[in-house]
Amino acid sequence: MTVTNAINHTLKIRLTQSLSIALFVLFSVLGVHAADPLPSWNAGPAKQAILDFVKSTTSPGSENHVPPAERIAVFDNDGTLWSEQPLYFQALFIFDRIKQLAPQHPEWKAQEPFASVLKGDTKTALAGGEHALIEMAMATHAGTTTEEFHQLAMEWISTARHPETGKLLTEMVYQPMLELLTYLRENGFKTYIVSGGGIEFMRPWTERIYGIPPEQVIGSSIKTKYELREGQPVLARLPEMNFIDDKEGKPVGINQHIGRRPIAAFGNSDGDFQMLEWTTAGDGARLGVYIHHDDAKREYAYDRNSHIGKLARGLDESSERGWIVVSMKNNWKTIYP
Amino acid sequence: MTVTNAINHTLKIRLTQSLSIALFVLFSVLGVHAADPLPSWNAGPAKQAILDFVKSTTSPGSENHVPPAERIAVFDNDGTLWSEQPLYFQALFIFDRIKQLAPQHPEWKAQEPFASVLKGDTKTALAGGEHALIEMAMATHAGTTTEEFHQLAMEWISTARHPETGKLLTEMVYQPMLELLTYLRENGFKTYIVSGGGIEFMRPWTERIYGIPPEQVIGSSIKTKYELREGQPVLARLPEMNFIDDKEGKPVGINQHIGRRPIAAFGNSDGDFQMLEWTTAGDGARLGVYIHHDDAKREYAYDRNSHIGKLARGLDESSERGWIVVSMKNNWKTIYP
C-alpha cells in the first residue's frame, strides 16, 4: 500500500464507521426496534418474565431502573450454558489428561481411581464421587504453569467430542442461552460465569464460545505460586485446593470477584440454589431462573435423582420464591446451535 | 409533562445525543485531537514513554497493537494512587474502629497492640509490624456482614482526614494519576487496582474517587461465610486470612481475578516488584512504572529506608529492566487535585 492508499483506506474505514454510527443513531431516534431478541425461545410466561425483567430494569424512568454498572447477571456453566451429561465435560478432560500423563506415572496402573480410567472404566473411576474427582483433578491439573495449562485446555477443547452425540463439546452449548447472553449484554448487562468447574479450565475458551472474557469467569481453583524458572517468572499450579465455587461457595466467589450483588442469576441444579437465593434477596427487581432438564429426546431428562446436576430443593421452592423454571422441552425451540 | 411534551423531550435528548455522536465522528475523521491528556505531567522522558506506549499499543496497524480486550493496566493503591505516609490510611480506619469497638472489648485496655491505640500511642501499637497490623485488622474487620462493612468503610472515608495535612483522605489522591487513569480508559484500557490493602475496604469508594468499579479492585481479604440470619442470606466476615495481595501475591491475585497478564503496571514500592516483573515479562510492548516519592516539600520523600513503601530493589533494577521511574518532584506539576 502506498501512503496515499493507506490514508484513503483509513479514511474509508472511518467514514464507514461514521455511517454505521449515523444509521444506528437514526434508527434509535426513529424508535426502530430489532426483531425478537430471543428467537429460540417459545412465547410463554418464562420468556415473558425475562423480557419484562430486562425492560423494567433498563427503561429510563422505570421505578425498577438499575444503572448499567449494577446490571450484573451470573450464569452457572455445566447444565446451564452447555450440557453436563452423562458426566461433566471437564471429567472427560481429566480422563484424557490421565491417559496422557500415564507414562510418567507407572504407579497409576495399580492405583484407583486412575487404574479404572486407564482401563476405560470411567464409571468405576467416578464411583468415589466428588473425592475421587478432586483427586484426579489435582493429579492432572497441577504441575504445569498457568500458561501451559491454558494451552492444554485450549487445544483439548478445540477437538474434544461428546461420547454420545459425537458433537464437538463446544457445539453442545444452548442456543437459547447464547441469545440470552447477547440480549442481556446489548441491554448493558455484564454477564459472568459462576461455575463449580475449574476457573482455568474455562477461561481459555469462554470468550470465543460465550462472549464472556476471562475476567468475568468465576470458578473453582487450585493454588498457584509465583516463581522464577530460568529467569522467567511463572505461576506454578499446585496440587492444593484454593476455592470450591459451589453451593454456599457461589455467593462467596461472587463477592470476592465482583464485589456487588447480581440482579439476575441462572442455574440448573441445587448447587446453584444459594446463588439464586443471594441474588434474589436484594432490593428492587430481581430475576432467578432455573433451567429444567426435561427433554430426554433432544437433550437429557433429569432432576431429583440425578448423580449430576441434582435439582430437588430448587424445584420445590421456585414457585414460592418467585423464580422462573424454564422447561427445555416446552420453552426452547432448539437446544443446540 | 404532557405526553406530547414527554415525546418531544425524549426526541430532543436523542437528537442532542445524535449531534454529539456526529460531532465526535466528524472530529475523528478530521483527526482533530484533544489537548494534552496529561496536563499535570511535565514534559520529559517519563511522560513521553507513557504517551508512546499508549500510542504504540492502540494505533491501528502498529506492530505493537493490542486488541482492546487485552489492554489491562494494573495500579497499586497506597503510595501509587494516593499517599501512604505517615502510615497506611487503612491503619487510621483500623484505629478508629478499635476506639469504636472498645466498649465491647474491655480486655483491650490491658492488651497490646489495642491498649496503645486506645491511649493514642499509635507508634507503639505499630511497633509489632505486620503481625500487629494483621491482628488489629482481624479484630476490627471481621464480625460484620459484607454489607455492614461496606457501609462502615463508606461512612468513614467520607469524613476521615489526614493527621498532618488535615485534608480529606480522598483529597490526597494524585492528580497526575487520575489523569493517567482517565487517559488509559479513553484509549480502551481496563484499569485495575492491585493493592495489599483490604479489598472490601477499598471497593466502596474506588468508583467515585478513581472511576474504578468494585469488580476491578483486587486486594487482601479475609474469609467470608454464607449463612442465613432471620431468613435473610448474608456473607459473614470471619477473622481468618483468605489472601495477602502483596509481593509474590500480586501476580497470583491478578491471575485469579483477571485471568490474563496485564500490559502495564504501576507501583511505588518493592511490594510491587513482582507485579511489574510479571507484567513486563510478557510479549510485545509492556510498560512498568515506579512512582518515586522524592518530594518532601509537596508530599513525602522516602525510599530505601522507609518503614512503609520501601523502594530499594525497584530503584536498583528499574534501569536494566526498562522500567520508568517517575520523580514526583520533577515530573509532576501538581500532586493533589
Side-chain angles (χ1 to χ4, degrees), chain A residues 11 14-15 17-19 21-22 24-31 33 69 72 146-147 150 190 192 199-200 203 207 213-217 219 221-226 228 231-235 242-243 247-249 251-252 254-261 273-275 277-278 281 313, chain B residues 11 14-15 17-19 21-22 24-26 28-31 33 69 72 146-147 150 190 192 199-200 203 207 213-217 219 221-226 228 231-235 242-243 247-249 251-252 254-261 273-275 277-278 281 313 321:
Chain A
L11 203 64
R14 287 198 170 155
L15 286 170
Q17 285 171 342
S18 322
L19 193 63
I21 295 174
F24 172 78
V25 169
L26 188 69
F27 285 129
S28 301
V29 171
L30 295 177
H33 291 296
I72 306 283
T146 50
E147 299 200 328
H150 177 104
K190 224 169 176 174
Y192 281 81
I199 192 169
E200 303 217 46
R203 280 176 163 171
E207 187 146 33
E215 61 268 30
Q216 285 162 228
V217 177
S221 57
I222 55 177
K223 287 194 189 293
T224 63
K225 185 172 178 290
Y226 186 76
L228 294 181
Q232 285 302 305
V234 300
L235 287 166
N242 178 58
F243 182 65
K247 301 184 181 75
E248 294 84 1
V252 172
I254 287 169
N255 182 62
Q256 182 69 24
H257 284 258
I258 311 179
R260 25 186 161 211
R261 200 192 290 238
F273 189 92
Q274 287 82 1
M275 176 168 81
E277 183 179 53
W278 173 244
R313 189 180 173 195
Chain B
L11 203 62
R14 286 197 170 157
L15 285 170
Q17 284 172 342
S18 324
L19 193 62
I21 294 174
F24 172 76
V25 169
L26 187 68
S28 302
V29 171
L30 295 177
H33 290 297
I72 306 282
T146 50
E147 299 200 330
H150 176 103
K190 224 169 178 175
Y192 281 82
I199 191 168
E200 303 217 47
R203 280 176 164 172
E207 187 147 32
E215 61 268 31
Q216 285 161 228
V217 177
S221 57
I222 56 178
K223 287 194 189 294
T224 64
K225 185 173 178 290
Y226 186 78
L228 294 180
Q232 285 303 305
V234 299
L235 288 166
N242 178 58
F243 182 64
K247 300 186 181 75
E248 294 83 2
V252 171
I254 287 169
N255 181 62
Q256 182 70 21
H257 284 259
I258 312 179
R260 30 185 158 209
R261 199 192 292 236
F273 189 92
Q274 287 82 2
M275 176 169 82
E277 182 179 55
W278 173 244
R313 189 179 174 197
R321 289 174 180 267

Side-chain angles (χ1 to χ4, degrees), chain B residues 304 312-320:
Chain B
R304 295 179 186 278
R313 189 179 174 197
L315 280 182
D316 293 338
E317 299 188 20
S318 274
S319 170
E320 71 191 70

Side-chain angles (χ1 to χ4, degrees), chain B residues 1-118:
Chain B
M1 238 190 275
T2 65
V3 173
T4 322
N5 275 350
I7 292 172
N8 283 342
H9 183 68
T10 310
L11 203 62
K12 203 166 158 190
I13 290 174
R14 286 197 170 157
L15 285 170
T16 310
Q17 284 172 342
S18 324
L19 193 62
S20 310
I21 294 174
L23 283 175
F24 172 76
V25 169
L26 187 68
F27 284 128
S28 302
V29 171
L30 295 177
V32 173
H33 290 297
D36 182 358
L38 301 175
S40 299
W41 292 68
N42 287 315
K47 178 175 184 172
Q48 200 54 48
I50 294 171
L51 295 171
D52 289 348
F53 171 79
V54 172
K55 195 177 169 195
S56 119
T57 51
T58 60
S59 301
S62 156
E63 63 168 328
N64 287 321
H65 183 262
V66 174
E70 289 167 29
R71 293 181 201 158
I72 306 282
V74 287
F75 292 81
D76 170 57
N77 185 39
D78 299 306
T80 299
L81 295 180
W82 72 353
S83 293
E84 62 181 351
Q85 295 286 5
L87 73 182
Y88 294 130
F89 294 177
Q90 193 174 355
L92 299 171
F93 175 66
I94 290 172
F95 296 156
D96 282 350
R97 287 281 294 153
I98 288 176
K99 289 169 201 159
Q100 210 172 29
L101 292 170
Q104 297 156 50
H105 292 275
E107 75 280 9
W108 282 354
K109 276 187 191 156
Q111 183 189 333
E112 290 297 351
F114 304 96
S116 292
V117 173
L118 294 175

